[in-house]
Every structure is written in structure tokens, then in C-alpha cells.
Amino acid sequence: MAPRKTTPEAETASEDTKQAQTTKAATTKPKAKTTPAKTAPKKATPAKTQTGSNSSGIAADHLQSFFDRIERLEGEKKGIADDIKDVFAEAKGNGFDVPTMRAILKIKKQKPSEREEKESMLDLYMHALGMLEGDLDEAQQLGIDAASSGKAVTDNLYMTEDPRFKKWEQGWQMQTAFLAAQDNQ
């Protein structure tokens, strides 16, 4: 692609635009993350032809400004990734286990219900493979037996204040999830 020829006035205008964008970027505060309201997507309308436009009607300066912003953000993203890498290296230097830290960060991003479900499935599979020491709690085993026989979760033998209530419920949920997974295969 041949370089585009510009007039001295267009070069001055382009430099003023870049300087304004740089000033604006330096003075604006980072936007807080918000979830936008769901609205119908707007159709893109072509920008009006400006100085530096090509024959197809695309505003080259406007398009270039998008690429400049994207490239700037990509650079910032790389810088942040490097900073995170440095923090992990520092933690490792202080004796912390980085893979465990990464696993915890992954867990912290999950919703509590997702985390509980994954932990229940992990416990169930580890028990099935004989990887956990000791037997299941009696209440938990009763919950597993109840789920296997088709009983509802409301058939829990224990009162809600009883600590065994939660264990029974966990056993019932683990077995129900296991049975559902088998049915899906």
C-alpha cells in the first residue's frame, strides 16, 4: 500500500488530534466496571468523509484512531501481565507455592454454589476411588442411600439445627449429581 499524501494543513490537524487524544487519555479516570443495560445493538454508520479519507468513503483518520487506541490498550495489557508475573515471582521467592496460589485465585472467581458443587463432586469421586482416608460420615452415607432409593431432599431425617442435617444433605446432593451424570452418559 502506497503512503498517503497529505497536505501540511492535514498533517497539522492530525498532530493536533493525536495530541488531544493523548491529553484526554492522560487526564481521564479509569471507568468503573459496570454492566451495561441490555439494549438493541446499534447499526454501525459509516463516518463522514474527512480530510485523509480514501476513495471508498471511509474516514481514515477516524479508523486509525481506533487502531491507535487498541494498540495502546494491548500494550497496557502486556504491562499488567508482566506485573502479575513479577508478583508471582516475588511470592515464590518468599516461599509461597505459586500453583496453589493460582488455584486459589481460580476458586475465588467462582460463585459459592459452583464451588460447593465442584467440591462435592471431587469428594464423591475421591471416595469412589478410595483416595480419602476414613469412611463417609454416617449422616452423609444415609443421604447417599436416600438419594439412591429415590427419596426427596425433604426426607432428611435430621432437624435443620442438627449438624448432621447438612452432612445428610451433602450426601444426598453428591449421589443425586452422580446419578444424573450417569444418566447423561
Side-chain angles (χ1 to χ4, degrees):
M1 181 172 173
R4 144 182 118 207
K5 294 182 180 179
T6 58
T7 62
E9 294 84 16
E11 287 180 5
T12 305
S14 178
E15 289 174 9
D16 290 343
T17 304
K18 286 180 183 177
Q19 185 178 7
Q21 288 174 349
T22 305
T23 305
K24 181 180 175 185
T27 59
T28 57
K29 295 180 182 176
K31 294 181 182 177
K33 288 187 177 182
T34 58
T35 53
K38 295 192 176 195
T39 58
K42 295 180 180 178
K43 291 186 177 181
T45 55
K48 294 180 181 177
T49 305
Q50 300 173 352
T51 305
S53 296
N54 60 22
S55 62
S56 65
I58 297 175
D61 293 339
H62 195 104
L63 181 61
Q64 184 62 44
S65 72
F66 284 118
F67 282 105
D68 291 343
R69 287 169 46 202
I70 291 168
E71 289 169 348
R72 180 182 50 83
L73 291 170
E74 289 287 341
E76 289 177 15
K77 184 168 74 171
K78 184 186 180 312
I80 290 171
D82 290 342
D83 291 346
I84 291 170
K85 183 179 175 183
D86 292 343
V87 171
F88 278 123
E90 183 181 345
K92 184 176 182 177
N94 286 313
F96 292 101
D97 185 53
V98 172
T100 303
M101 290 175 66
R102 289 185 190 276
I104 290 173
L105 286 171
K106 185 177 178 182
I107 290 169
K108 286 178 75 172
K109 291 178 185 177
Q110 297 174 347
K111 293 179 184 175
S113 59
E114 290 174 359
R115 183 172 49 238
E116 287 174 9
E117 182 180 343
K118 288 185 184 218
E119 287 173 357
S120 294
M121 292 302 291
L122 182 65
D123 285 345
L124 178 66
Y125 287 3
M126 290 179 76
H127 273 288
L129 297 172
M131 295 173 65
L132 293 179
E133 293 181 21
D135 294 326
L136 290 175
D137 182 275
E138 180 184 353
Q140 200 169 20
Q141 185 61 51
L142 288 171
I144 290 171
D145 295 341
S148 296
S149 63
K151 291 186 178 179
V153 72
T154 55
D155 292 336
N156 193 330
L157 306 172
Y158 304 101
M159 302 300 288
T160 55
E161 299 83 26
D162 191 331
R164 295 174 294 177
F165 176 87
K166 197 70 172 163
K167 289 287 188 182
W168 186 96
E169 191 175 70
Q170 287 175 341
W172 187 90
Q173 289 173 344
M174 287 186 333
Q175 186 65 13
T176 303
F178 179 72
L179 293 172
Q182 283 185 331
D183 288 344
N184 290 335
Q185 292 179 353

